[in-house]
Amino acid sequence: TMQITVFYSPDPDKCMDLQVEATDTVKSVKQKIIAVYSPPDWANTALLAARGSTEYLENKKRLAQCRVQPGSVFKFSYARNLTTEEKMEMNTQGIQTEEFPVPPQMSISTLPPRPLPF
């Protein structure tokens, strides 16, 4: 058994110490935090990373695989995976999303569709 500290709120002073095993999964650690700190309505995923890092840990990995040591400090946050439609909507509003840039000029044809050659 080892103790880790997880910061879980936008408030920088809110954290919890958790007793975990090296064989615990990242997902099980997230579930312990979710039990205490309920997700907001907009969230559809949760992220866990070493504090100060944006290298998020994979749910299926065991803590030992992530090189978690006693006393390790993490940051937990809720997030939202955007649908293609949400990404397009944000882009049309001028908000860039990494995965889905809209070309600067889009052309829309108003010509009738061509008949298929068969």
Side-chain angles (χ1 to χ4, degrees):
T1 302
M2 63 179 153
Q3 181 174 299
I4 61 171
T5 301
V6 181
F7 286 82
Y8 62 89
S9 167
D11 178 343
D13 297 328
K14 286 196 175 179
C15 66
M16 69 172 71
D17 292 329
L18 294 175
Q19 297 299 320
V20 296
E21 301 288 336
T23 55
D24 288 351
T25 62
V26 170
K27 185 174 184 174
S28 71
V29 173
K30 288 180 182 180
Q31 288 170 334
K32 289 177 183 183
I33 300 159
I34 291 167
V36 174
Y37 176 52
S38 298
D41 292 340
W42 54 263
N44 63 11
T45 191
L47 305 172
L48 186 67
R51 193 168 187 206
S53 170
T54 54
E55 299 281 321
Y56 299 110
L57 305 179
E58 295 175 39
N59 280 344
K60 293 179 181 174
K61 287 205 171 179
R62 303 215 175 267
L63 298 182
Q65 293 173 293
C66 300
R67 298 190 176 115
V68 173
Q69 301 292 318
S72 292
V73 180
F74 295 92
K75 173 70 177 151
F76 171 90
S77 54
Y78 286 111
R80 178 172 182 84
N81 286 318
L82 299 176
T83 64
T84 300
E85 291 80 14
E86 289 170 323
K87 289 177 191 176
M88 287 178 66
E89 179 63 27
M90 290 179 80
N91 277 271
T92 59
Q93 294 172 8
I95 302 166
Q96 289 298 313
T97 56
E98 259 180 60
E99 310 84 9
F100 199 82
V102 172
Q105 292 189 347
M106 293 179 63
S107 62
I108 299 172
S109 172
T110 56
L111 297 172
R114 293 186 182 154
L116 296 173
F118 50 82

